[in-house]
Amino acid sequence: MAKPTPLSGFPEWLPDGRIVEQHVLDTLRHTFELHGFAGIETRAVEPLDQLLRKGETSKEVYLLSRLQDEDGPEKLDQQQGREKQLGLHFDLTVPFARYVLENAGKLAFPLKRYQIQKVWRGERPQDGRFREFIQADIDVVGAGELPYHFEVEVPLVIAEALGSLAGIGLPPVRILVNNRRVAEGFYRGIGLDDVEGVLRQIDKLDKIGPEKVSGLLVAECGATEDQAKACLALASISGSDVGVIAEVRALAESHGAVTELLETGLGELEALIAAASERAPGVVVADLKIARGLDYYTGSVYETVLVGHEQLGSVCSGGRYDTLASDGRNTYPGVGLSIGVSRLVSRLLSAELVRATRSVPSAVLVAVSSEEERVVSDAVATALRARDIPVEVAPSAAKFGKQIKYADRRGIPFVWFPGTAGEDGVVGADQVKDIRSGEQVDADAATWAPSEADRWPQVVPVP
């Protein structure tokens, strides 16, 4: 078989990288559960027409079909194709909305759920952007209504979860927040009706800059030059304290754009900033250019960046949605945030910010003196594993020096030597060697244990 050609956009970490990823996932899961979020998992595929409800994503959806499927996409008209065709989910929000509708009668509301799964997105691979990647989502969904305080709680849970990773070298995070009601109230107040179009263009500010966004607002959203300038002025406002509210209100007053919707949004944004300044000082920042170009967000919107790595883009985003989950009779509003775990891990590894202390779980290699005595080594390994110590047995009865080198190559810190019978027939004590220091002592598999730092691989910051 010829050497395979790598596929870009499908990350496959080496074993030590996988340990880092697993540590991140375990930390996120633990924090979510501390706050009462229950874990679920949904299927990997959804009907194409459901996936395309989210907006401008048709170019990103991977279709799923059998190689010999007689009803391939080319044999179906467009509408039939969407109804019958399946696609891999490109996020976890759309499948979660479907899950809520299908199971509403069995769920207790407000429902707090977390979901950690792979998703697939057919976009051009680049730094931190993949075609297959892991997301970690949290959402709170209500039946009929959802109190605003959950829009405050969710980003603070994310701040705590990411803050828990600071000890392994994760850079500080900034959660940038805005409120769709503020933006919509302001745009309508200055006479712009194509609110979704304006939001989509404002969402491009960091990518193409204010001059090009201004041109798009005029060309595609029907804005005048003055209206475009007002939109950019709103987008330029940011701050980590409630003073930002007065700044937005002053701008709205100067343009005669104070509306009831804007005031409602400002009240909600102020509550979020005030709570965050107490519970996570400096982490949550109001940024009025955060738009989230997807059309189902209705309230708070969030984006999260790594300080010093802003060029990577948002590693966590989300917002409030009121109508994504609805069966026509009942509506289930929600608010959620999604962490791009693979993007986060890729930066931790590529920038050499963290490392695993070893690439295998084994803390101990049990040496084998001869193949006839392998059963003795297996018994030692069984006794240690019963006490939650990860162990492997040497693959061959080579000279002890070679077995020690084998352990060293794998990063295993201890080598165990089962006792052997002397000329008098008396079996000597087992011994364990710390191959880093060279210290070797008598040991009993029923009582000996490595230090907690050595028992399992650790994820630590790179000095």
Side-chain angles (χ1 to χ4, degrees):
M1 178 179 176
K3 184 176 181 179
T5 302
L7 282 176
S8 62
F10 295 85
E12 294 178 323
W13 315 125
L14 294 174
D16 51 349
R18 173 59 177 161
I19 288 171
V20 171
E21 180 182 67
Q22 196 61 53
H23 178 83
V24 170
L25 294 174
D26 290 343
T27 300
L28 297 178
R29 184 182 299 110
H30 179 71
T31 305
F32 297 159
E33 292 181 353
L34 279 177
H35 287 268
F37 289 82
I40 70 165
E41 183 169 318
T42 58
R43 65 198 185 205
V45 299
E46 298 290 338
L48 183 58
D49 61 332
Q50 295 299 306
L51 290 174
L52 297 183
R53 290 175 58 208
K54 191 172 179 179
E56 298 177 347
T57 53
S58 59
K59 293 181 179 179
E60 297 181 357
V61 176
Y62 281 112
L63 296 180
L64 186 73
S65 63
R66 293 181 299 174
L67 184 62
Q68 300 298 327
D69 197 339
E70 294 181 358
D71 294 325
E74 69 283 353
K75 294 188 178 182
L76 301 171
D77 64 40
Q78 185 176 19
Q79 186 57 37
Q80 281 185 319
R82 289 189 175 187
E83 290 175 354
K84 295 186 66 174
Q85 189 67 49
L86 298 177
L88 293 171
H89 59 221
F90 54 82
D91 76 350
L92 300 178
T93 303
V94 171
F96 176 54
R98 188 264 311 157
Y99 175 93
V100 169
L101 292 176
E102 287 187 4
N103 297 283
K106 305 172 187 177
L107 299 171
F109 295 95
L111 171 65
K112 301 173 72 173
R113 87 79 165 90
Y114 75 85
Q115 191 170 347
I116 301 175
Q117 286 183 238
K118 284 190 174 182
V119 300
W120 295 266
R121 192 169 297 176
E123 58 184 359
R124 183 172 63 86
Q126 51 188 297
D127 184 24
R129 288 189 177 274
F130 304 107
R131 296 173 179 173
E132 178 185 73
F133 53 97
I134 295 176
Q135 284 191 182
D137 286 22
I138 59 171
D139 285 80
V140 183
V141 172
E145 62 180 9
L146 185 72
Y148 175 75
H149 65 79
F150 287 114
E151 293 181 51
V152 177
E153 177 183 351
V154 166
L156 293 178
V157 172
I158 291 293
E160 181 178 327
L162 295 176
S164 297
L165 295 168
I168 66 166
L170 182 73
V173 298
R174 292 288 180 272
I175 301 178
L176 310 177
V177 303
N178 194 4
N179 191 293
R180 277 289 184 88
R181 294 182 176 91
V182 173
E184 181 176 353
F186 183 85
Y187 299 153
R188 293 193 184 281
I190 62 174
L192 291 174
D193 293 325
D194 184 9
V195 173
E196 292 178 3
V198 175
L199 287 169
R200 281 195 293 271
Q201 304 311 329
I202 293 296
D203 199 36
K204 300 173 183 177
L205 265 171
D206 287 338
K207 295 180 181 178
I208 64 176
E211 186 174 340
K212 290 184 179 179
V213 168
S214 178
L216 289 171
L217 290 172
V218 173
E220 300 188 14
C221 302
T224 66
E225 294 287 348
D226 287 342
Q227 288 172 328
K229 288 180 181 178
C231 292
L232 293 175
L234 178 68
S236 69
I237 296 174
S238 65
S240 58
D241 58 49
V242 294
V244 78
I245 306 302
E247 194 173 347
V248 173
R249 187 173 286 117
L251 177 67
E253 289 173 351
S254 70
H255 286 83
V258 178
T259 63
E260 182 178 349
L261 186 60
L262 179 137
E263 287 294 340
T264 299
L266 285 177
E268 293 176 348
L269 184 59
E270 183 174 16
L272 172 54
I273 295 300
S277 64
E278 290 188 9
R279 291 175 55 183
V283 174
V284 177
V285 176
D287 189 333
L288 277 296
K289 75 173 180 295
I290 300 303
R292 302 296 300 146
L294 301 172
D295 57 14
Y296 63 76
Y297 290 122
T298 56
S300 298
V301 287
Y302 320 97
E303 290 193 356
T304 305
V305 296
L306 298 178
V307 176
H309 301 262
E310 289 81 1
Q311 74 281 5
L312 185 64
S314 178
V315 296
C316 176
S317 58
R320 166 74 182 240
Y321 48 89
D322 286 328
T323 58
L324 187 69
S326 176
D327 59 9
R329 293 176 301 154
N330 303 297
T331 299
Y332 302 91
V335 59
L337 270 160
S338 173
I339 299 175
V341 176
S342 297
R343 176 178 290 192
L344 192 64
V345 171
S346 73
R347 181 47 54 106
L348 290 173
L349 296 176
S350 64
E352 298 184 344
L353 299 174
V354 304
R355 66 175 180 86
T357 53
R358 59 181 186 263
S359 61
V360 296
S362 306
V364 180
L365 176 77
V366 181
V368 178
S369 58
S370 69
E371 289 302 330
E372 292 73 21
E373 297 294 322
R374 179 173 289 275
V375 64
V376 176
S377 299
D378 287 339
V380 172
T382 298
L384 291 172
R385 291 180 191 129
R387 298 176 46 242
D388 199 40
I389 300 171
V391 181
E392 61 182 275
V393 178
S396 67
K399 292 182 178 180
F400 282 161
K402 288 186 176 181
Q403 295 187 52
I404 291 172
K405 287 182 179 180
Y406 173 83
D408 187 44
R409 285 197 306 271
R410 292 172 62 78
I412 301 172
F414 297 97
V415 175
W416 190 286
F417 301 101
T420 56
E423 294 181 359
D424 56 2
V426 177
V427 177
D430 289 11
Q431 291 193 323
V432 64
K433 181 184 183 74
D434 183 335
I435 64 173
R436 298 162 299 183
S437 66
E439 181 183 11
Q440 185 167 325
V441 297
D442 290 350
D444 183 344
T447 58
W448 178 89
S451 69
E452 285 305 307
D454 284 330
R455 184 183 292 261
W456 295 97
Q458 306 292 306
V459 177
V460 296
V462 175

